[in-house]
Amino acid sequence: MLTQFTRVIALALLLVVTPFISSLALAGQVDITYQTPSQELIDIADAAPAPAAYVAPGGKVVLVAGQPALPSIADLAAPEYRLAGSRINPANNTTSQARYLNSFTFVNISDSSNLSIRGLPNNLKALYPTWSTDGRYLAFIQLEENEAQVWRVDVERGRAKRFSKTKANGVWGNPLQWASDNETLYVMAVPAKRGAEPQRPNVPASPIVTESRGRVAPARTYQDLLGNEHDEALFNYFYSSEIVRINGRGRTKVIGTPAVYSDYSLSPSSQFLLVTTIQTPYSYAVPRSRFARTTDVWNLEGKALYQVTNQPLADNLPIAFDAVVNTPRSISWRADADATLVWAVAQDGGDPRQPAEIRDSVFQLSAPFTAAPKKLIDLSTRYAGLTAQSGELALVYERLWSDRAEKVWRISPDTDAAPQLVWERSWENTYTDPGRPLMTRNEQRRRVLLVDNGHIILTGDGASDEGERPFIDRRNLVTGETTRLWQSEAPFYERPLSALNATEGLFITRREALNTPPDLYVRDINNPASLRALTETAHPMPATVDIRRELIHYEREDGLPMSATLFLPAGYDKERDGPLPTIVWAYPREFRSNAAAAQVSGSPYEFNRISYWRPQFLATQGYAVMDNATMPIVGLGDALPNDTFIEQLEMNSRAVIKAGADLGVTDPNRVAIGGHSYGAFMTANVLAHTNLFKAGIARSGAYNRSLTPFGFQREERTVWDDPALYLRMSPFFAAHQIKTPLLLIHGTDDNNSGTFPMQSERLYQAVKGLGGTTRLVMLPLESHGYRARESILHMMWETVTWLDEFVKNAE
């Protein structure tokens, strides 16, 4: 074991310290520009995404917001800074490459008519549409080249305008919050007097030194971290904000003083602010989410009244998915009360590997915040949230990753009544998911748990062997007796979006069918004949209507049920045309039971929107496509899933090929496998350890697990815990066995943890150096998910060209 461990580390260090030499240069760079595929594939890529829906409180209006198609590579070349694990646009102080909305349509729910709104920006680029609690006003951020503007739509007057000259700071997310008077808007804003941006010194002032002396501080592989004093100065500059209050007339007042605020929230009464402030010193080893912070309650003048927590730098959390800080966390206002805080504190030191009967305790504290916090409940696992209806009724959720356990408790926050268990289940068992409780607005227009005569109303996905059939249930909180009120029925896929009046059975739903794009409807579940459309969306890609889609079921050799979504070319007849070349696209997932691993996701009645991101577009090129083929990795009993990762990949691969061949649609001698991210890692492993496929496509993956030594994906063991596991699961160390043609695609600016671009570059070097057939495509300016139109079209072209050569036309 020690010898093997030494080999792993030695090879990893060799990769790290070897000066980088472009793999393309070593191979002889291919002289190529951005390529475009056939017009039918271009049309698929250019189809606009489905619109988003934002239902106004009160149920009178719904905003239908359009989204643009793919941006250009020039858009991706906009200014970008990478600081503390995130990427921002320094020109307008928002997230980098923000996905904005480019059209607003306001629909009157009562009669499906469109409302006229004057004054919207000519070139709408909207972020964070946020309704006031009475549904009269909609605030949003308008992206301009050099600022993020605050806009307000007055729905009653049909008018939109810039609300003030305040420049929003959107680097942390949505900076907007409405006060309870529905007139006053709070904004996290760029400080009005922040001065000029810090300039990088031409000459370094000092070396960069970090030090550790015996303190255990493991960390997974993060990207875009702070690296020097100038990065710290930029972080201070762009992440600092001031909290601004804008009254109904657009007049502003600054609350407190500028600082690096990561979050703020108004109490339901709008009398207090809960403010989280990032503290120095910063870290070069972990992202901003783990920086030291304080969370305080302020009055509306910016005076701190109570400190909830003073959390130190969280760079020493155990490598475990249920590891948490050992200070108050998940701090929030109880929505039903004027000003009552709720938070959790770990009782096991934050380390789930430590034995403990109680892992978390949940507390609350009400204004004026001078009493001792009241304990609400002790939990055997991790606190996962509280949903309140009143001081007599709230639901508390707890979960644990290691055993997939979930419990929901009924508590009485303002009394001493003992907690009552509502349900206990495995959250990875989607077939038994009881759903999510509906919320409503109380008399103060606060969003609280909907309770009707001792019952809650639940909506869920309705997963089953036949696919998802969303539902609405009514559940007795005392007895647990559940009545199904409504369920989506074939040939439609319909899911509730918002309750207009749940007690009377009125809902807004999103409804679609195989060849009918999603639209919004008003549904009375007590009167099905009254179903009424709010929107009417044209088919975004009519040329693909005749592509066939089918949910298929099969078993692997150990009897585990599996499934995939099969796409077949338009007009295909297996008797006439025979078996087709086939692409299998998958993503491995870990499970702790065979029952959970066998469960089906998705619905056969969802709109058949052919994706450019997944390989569905290949159905237009004469391929059968096995999309979302289940790739379960199961660990039973004391065994962990990854203990037999390679063996289960092979069983899964054999099963899906056999399934296609048994249907008569797949030529088993002409099958490719592919995947993105962890699916790319899967692809390289399958090619390294089997000869089942003719080609592979691996996009933005990680292939050398010694370069992610403190865990990866859902693996919590480190390389020092089990070096043999890291060696065995790394296709890089089996590159001499990759003889099947492998196409590697990666964004040059990948920001995902662990999937550094060098992972693809190094695997390419290894396969090439060992005589394999491989091609490396590095997409400029692209992150983990590719966005530019030029990049997407080129990716499609590379995919078709590779598969045509090595699969479709394979001898």
Side-chain angles (χ1 to χ4, degrees), residues 258-528:
V260 183
Y261 303 123
S262 64
D263 192 21
Y264 80 105
S265 63
L266 277 166
S267 66
S269 64
S270 295
Q271 295 177 321
F272 303 97
L273 283 163
L274 182 67
V275 180
T276 298
T277 310
I278 300 299
Q279 304 293 333
T280 57
Y282 302 141
S283 171
Y284 293 3
V286 293
R288 63 184 189 178
S289 60
R290 293 198 179 188
F291 285 3
R293 62 196 60 218
T294 56
T295 300
D296 300 277
V297 177
W298 292 2
N299 65 17
L300 296 187
E301 301 304 314
K303 179 182 178 181
L305 305 176
Y306 176 75
Q307 186 165 94
V308 188
T309 188
N310 184 354
Q311 177 192 308
L313 176 68
D315 66 344
N316 62 339
L317 296 185
I319 300 296
F321 291 107
D322 296 307
V324 294
V325 295
N326 198 24
T327 52
R329 69 179 202 283
S330 301
I331 307 163
S332 64
W333 297 108
R334 213 181 81 198
D336 66 296
D338 285 345
T340 297
L341 292 169
V342 177
W343 66 82
V345 179
Q347 304 299 306
D348 58 1
D351 186 352
R353 294 175 179 173
Q354 297 297 322
E357 293 184 5
I358 299 173
R359 295 208 175 274
D360 272 355
S361 294
V362 183
F363 299 87
Q364 76 172 19
L365 180 64
S366 300
F369 315 107
T370 54
K374 174 188 176 182
K375 183 186 291 187
L376 294 178
I377 190 171
D378 288 325
L379 304 174
S380 61
T381 60
R382 287 284 180 247
Y383 173 68
L386 179 145
T387 302
Q389 188 263 347
S390 66
E392 287 72 46
L393 175 59
L395 299 181
V396 174
Y397 288 76
E398 60 171 309
R399 278 189 166 198
L400 202 66
W401 161 258
S402 58
D403 61 5
R404 316 307 198 259
E406 177 187 83
K407 294 179 185 177
V408 177
W409 297 90
R410 176 184 178 178
I411 67 169
S412 181
D414 293 349
T415 75
D416 295 325
Q420 297 176 330
L421 185 65
V422 178
W423 69 66
E424 181 177 7
R425 57 183 293 271
S426 168
W427 55 258
E428 75 174 0
N429 186 347
T430 58
Y431 288 5
T432 63
D433 185 359
R436 299 166 294 279
L438 280 179
M439 309 298 286
T440 189
R441 297 275 177 178
N442 64 12
E443 293 180 356
Q444 293 79 32
R445 307 206 63 80
R446 297 170 186 169
R447 194 166 181 269
V448 298
L449 180 69
L450 172 62
V451 181
D452 180 24
N453 194 25
H455 294 73
I456 57 174
I457 309 297
L458 299 156
T459 63
D461 296 331
S464 70
D465 287 339
E466 288 75 38
E468 293 177 359
R469 294 180 58 205
F471 64 82
I472 302 173
D473 280 356
R474 177 181 170 90
R475 182 186 180 106
N476 188 300
L477 275 172
V478 176
T479 66
E481 180 181 356
T482 301
T483 303
R484 180 132 302 172
L485 303 178
W486 173 87
Q487 188 159 23
S488 179
E489 296 181 355
F492 297 100
Y493 175 72
E494 185 174 0
R495 54 191 177 91
L497 292 186
S498 178
L500 297 178
N501 189 328
T503 55
E504 294 184 6
L506 287 177
F507 293 84
I508 289 183
T509 66
R510 184 187 295 273
R511 190 176 194 239
E512 59 196 271
L514 194 62
N515 288 316
T516 304
D519 274 307
L520 302 180
Y521 286 79
V522 175
R523 173 175 284 283
D524 181 347
I525 62 176
N526 299 313
N527 182 13

Side-chain angles (χ1 to χ4, degrees), residues 763-809:
L763 183 61
Y764 171 81
Q765 290 279 18
V767 175
K768 179 190 72 70
L770 294 163
T773 299
T774 185
R775 179 180 175 92
L776 174 64
V777 179
M778 302 299 292
L779 298 173
L781 303 178
E782 292 292 356
S783 185
H784 193 59
Y786 322 142
R787 291 199 61 204
R789 182 176 185 271
E790 293 87 343
S791 301
I792 294 298
L793 295 180
H794 189 85
M795 176 195 76
M796 297 169 83
W797 178 85
E798 291 279 1
T799 299
V800 172
T801 302
W802 192 258
L803 295 181
D804 281 356
E805 178 178 359
F806 294 109
V807 181
K808 179 185 285 188
N809 299 316

Side-chain angles (χ1 to χ4, degrees), residues 148-163:
Q149 301 174 353
V150 181
W151 280 65
R152 186 187 74 173
V153 178
D154 185 333
V155 176
E156 285 188 6
R157 296 184 177 181
R159 183 182 177 188
K161 66 176 183 179
R162 187 173 179 181
F163 198 25

Side-chain angles (χ1 to χ4, degrees), residues 93 169 191 194-198 232-241:
N93 244 92
N169 189 343
R194 72 174 178 179
E197 175 184 331
E232 292 190 53
L234 290 176
F235 181 82
N236 275 328
Y237 184 81
F238 287 104
Y239 283 83
S240 290
S241 303

